[in-house]
Amino acid sequence: MSALLEVEGLTAGYDGVPVLHEVDLRVPAGTICAVLGANGAGKTTLLRALSGLVRPSAGRVVFDGVPMGDVPTERLVRRGVGHVPEGRGVIEELSVEENLMLGGAWRLGWSGLFGSGRAGLRRDLDEVYQLFPPLRARRRHPGHQLSGGERQMLALGRALVGRPRLLLLDEPSLGLAPRVIAQTMALLRRLRDETGLTVLLVEQNVRSALSIADSGVVMSLGRVVATDDASRLAADADLRHAYLGF
Amino acid sequence: MDRFLFLTVDGLSHGAVYAAFALALVIIWRGTRIVNFAQGVLAVATSYLAYTVSGRSGSYWLGFAAALVAGLVLGAIVERLVMRRVENAPPLNAVIVALGLVLVAQGVLGMIYGNQYLPFPAPFSRSAMTVGGVPLLSHFDLFVLGTVLLLMLVLAVLFTRSATGLRMRAAAFAPPVARLLGVRVGRMLTLGWALAALVGALAGMLVIPTGLGLHPTAMDTVFVSAFTAAVVGGLDSPVGAVVGGLLVGLVLSYVAGYLGAGTTPLAVLGLLVVVLLARPAGLFSGAQARRV
């Protein structure tokens, strides 16, 4: 199986202090890969390095066969990479609908919302509203009025409007009720099965993540300490005790 | 009563220009959290260009158009070459750089055009038309009010109905998230400065004919009034800038009309102090969205 995302020897950090050390990762197209580990393991930094928000000091990132080394963050969404950042990144001052439109705004030109791209964007927004009906009811509300669950829907919906092939998700379960977490995970599984979406899923909620993931990597102190099928990781009691705390 | 009406109309006409100028300050503040203290001198520079172009070509409107285009270009250049270096620095750096720009630009303009007041004509009559025996507003006042109204409509549509406006707002509110969504944040900031300088240039063309004439410091007092207007409105709010501008225009007009022109600087300061005491975040800050 060819990998959509290949990471080799990725080293990155802040102000010259490395946080990630020679991370290797392969995510085949149409699969979900869970990135697990305790606080401070470097999971968020890994996603930020993949998005170019942190510049790697060494290593290679290849997406769909193309090296991504010098591709600026602004260009990634055009290549098919969506990133839902830590804390979800809902823009508080913009309405729900404006947040969603922004997700697809890269396909529009200057005038955009008047012009030819508008009909296509409208359809994408309708699809998101079908996926998350509460968002339709809230479409005129500013982002800062949303609940945690609604923010999650908005962040995920906004990323989907961008039509990604690879979705980088940073702790989608954080602060959500168990029922909402289950719904989110079920949705990710459905998107993978029905649309072939590839997901790199950073999670502290190990059980939920492994329940839908195909593969997983366990990180500790900026290094990958285990890579395996999700089912085998879930069954490895020693690993769970040592790094995942259950 | 006639006098009150006249002062009200005059105040609204001046206030409209303050509103436009305040709006330019707000556009830049929202994008970069910088108060552009150089905005007055930029507007003076574009007005000098209009003076030259109009003088050479004999066409007022050619000079008018030149000023607007020059504003757009000058704003972009100032952001790219000068302000970009201090955008992520402590706020005081940007203030110092902007004030430095004021000194340099005023000096250079003085060297080129001389430090005397140059005549700067209005395109329409400035003598008030009488309505029912009461002198009310001039053709120029109508031009000013109409132009500012049109400007506000265009800006409102741009910011709330176009993809570019959406990108500009996203870049202003949440730069890293905007980048992840494909917005070129740096380009949006440049565009914001260009747009603000264009609005400033327009305000200069509308207000300089009502003063002593064209001079390197011709916009200094206008800047103070517009800055007050922007702060009164909350600095973050375009609607606040417009309301603040009209409010400042009215207050200054009443004070000058009833108490004498010498007291207007004090009135501006008084208004600023009263608003900041009563509502430190400005009249239109609303429920401040939490920044997380």
Side-chain angles (χ1 to χ4, degrees):
Chain A
M1 201 158 26
S2 74
L4 186 66
L5 178 70
E6 259 178 289
V7 179
E8 280 171 25
L10 190 68
T11 301
Y14 304 94
D15 298 324
V17 182
V19 174
L20 294 180
H21 304 274
E22 295 171 27
V23 169
D24 295 327
L25 193 65
R26 275 184 96 250
V27 187
T31 67
I32 297 175
C33 175
V35 180
L36 309 170
N39 270 330
K43 306 186 298 294
T44 292
T45 305
L46 171 62
L47 291 196
R48 290 171 63 85
L50 293 178
S51 287
L53 288 173
V54 177
R55 280 285 150 210
S57 52
R60 240 158 71 88
V61 178
V62 179
F63 175 69
D64 200 17
V66 183
M68 301 296 274
D70 293 320
V71 178
T73 304
E74 296 87 334
R75 288 262 163 208
L76 282 174
V77 68
R78 280 159 231 268
R79 301 281 183 105
V81 180
H83 183 165
V84 179
E86 196 178 21
R88 301 187 183 121
V90 167
I91 300 183
E92 314 252 326
E93 294 87 344
L94 300 183
S95 71
V96 167
E97 184 135 314
E98 285 171 337
N99 266 286
L100 289 175
M101 281 181 167
L102 198 58
W106 61 272
R107 293 197 297 275
L108 303 174
W110 279 81
S111 58
L113 304 190
F114 305 110
S116 53
R118 190 179 179 141
L121 191 57
R122 194 72 256 169
R123 269 197 303 279
D124 291 347
L125 257 58
D126 280 336
E127 275 177 34
V128 169
Y129 287 143
Q130 266 164 25
L131 226 44
F132 306 108
L135 290 185
R136 192 193 293 274
R138 295 282 228 156
R139 52 198 280 214
R140 303 256 171 253
H141 291 246
H144 66 86
Q145 289 182 359
L146 299 187
S147 70
E150 288 166 340
R151 278 162 194 259
Q152 178 57 49
M153 293 177 202
L154 179 53
L156 207 51
R158 187 176 63 185
L160 292 176
V161 173
R163 296 182 190 160
R165 283 181 291 155
L166 171 67
L167 191 57
L168 309 175
L169 271 180
D170 201 341
E171 302 230 21
S173 76
L174 196 71
L176 295 186
R179 186 177 52 84
V180 184
I181 297 175
Q183 283 169 358
T184 305
M185 295 298 163
L187 175 67
L188 291 177
R189 177 155 44 192
R190 214 178 93 203
L191 288 169
R192 174 196 62 189
D193 295 342
E194 290 177 7
T195 69
L197 183 70
T198 309
V199 183
L200 188 62
L201 174 65
V202 161
E203 259 305 339
Q204 297 237 33
N205 192 324
V206 177
R207 283 173 209 274
S208 294
L210 288 180
S211 72
I212 61 159
D214 300 284
S215 64
V217 298
V218 179
M219 292 183 67
S220 176
L221 301 176
R223 293 174 198 279
V224 171
V225 292
T227 304
D228 212 333
D229 289 346
S231 52
R232 275 203 288 262
L233 284 177
D236 188 335
D238 292 342
L239 193 74
R240 284 196 340 236
H241 289 308
Y243 296 108
L244 304 176
F246 75 99
Chain B
M1 193 60 205
D2 294 355
R3 185 164 177 72
F4 178 76
L5 257 181
F6 174 77
L7 290 174
T8 303
V9 171
D10 192 54
L12 287 178
S13 172
H14 269 96
V17 178
Y18 299 151
F21 214 58
L23 210 50
L25 286 172
V26 167
I27 291 172
I28 288 179
W29 173 260
R30 273 161 56 121
T32 52
R33 300 279 136 185
I34 290 172
V35 175
N36 181 17
F37 284 99
Q39 192 168 287
V41 80
L42 291 180
V44 170
T46 54
S47 297
Y48 270 113
L49 183 74
Y51 174 85
T52 302
V53 171
S54 291
R56 293 266 167 87
S57 68
S59 159
Y60 173 85
W61 295 110
L62 205 58
F64 191 87
L68 299 193
V69 174
L72 208 58
V73 174
L74 202 57
I77 290 175
V78 166
E79 196 274 336
R80 266 289 147 91
L81 294 187
V82 183
M83 300 316 286
R84 176 147 304 187
R85 293 158 208 283
V86 288
E87 265 160 15
N88 295 316
L92 203 54
N93 295 20
V95 174
I96 300 294
V97 167
L99 291 177
L101 209 57
V102 172
L103 293 179
V104 171
Q106 286 186 345
V108 170
L109 287 172
M111 282 157 63
I112 299 174
Y113 290 96
N115 276 309
Q116 73 278 26
Y117 282 95
L118 299 175
F120 199 74
F124 299 103
S125 161
R126 289 201 56 225
S127 51
M129 297 177 284
T130 49
V131 179
V134 183
L136 215 52
L137 78 177
S138 67
H139 285 100
F140 184 65
D141 288 331
L142 280 178
F143 171 65
V144 168
L145 289 168
T147 306
V148 171
L149 196 67
L150 184 68
L151 172 76
M152 313 246 153
L153 283 176
V154 168
L155 287 179
V157 169
L158 173 70
F159 276 108
T160 61
R161 296 270 175 269
S162 80
T164 302
L166 183 60
R167 290 189 194 105
M168 287 178 76
R169 284 189 293 153
F173 294 136
V177 176
R179 290 180 68 201
L180 287 176
L181 296 172
V183 176
R184 290 183 214 173
V185 171
R187 190 174 284 196
M188 291 303 120
L189 296 186
T190 307
L191 189 60
W193 277 76
L195 206 57
L198 166 84
V199 173
L202 180 64
M205 294 302 291
L206 296 180
V207 77
I208 292 176
T210 68
L212 294 171
L214 194 51
H215 186 273
T217 62
M219 292 295 280
D220 285 7
T221 53
V222 176
F223 177 83
V224 172
S225 300
F227 176 64
T228 305
V231 172
V232 163
L235 259 186
D236 243 337
S237 157
V239 177
V242 173
V243 174
L246 295 177
L247 192 65
V248 169
L250 285 174
V251 167
L252 292 191
S253 181
Y254 294 143
V255 169
Y258 291 119
L259 302 176
T263 43
T264 50
L266 203 62
V268 174
L269 195 64
L271 181 67
L272 189 59
V273 168
V274 168
V275 169
L276 289 184
L277 279 177
R279 288 203 61 160
L283 293 178
F284 282 81
S285 54
Q288 186 65 45
R290 285 166 296 120
R291 292 201 173 270
V292 281

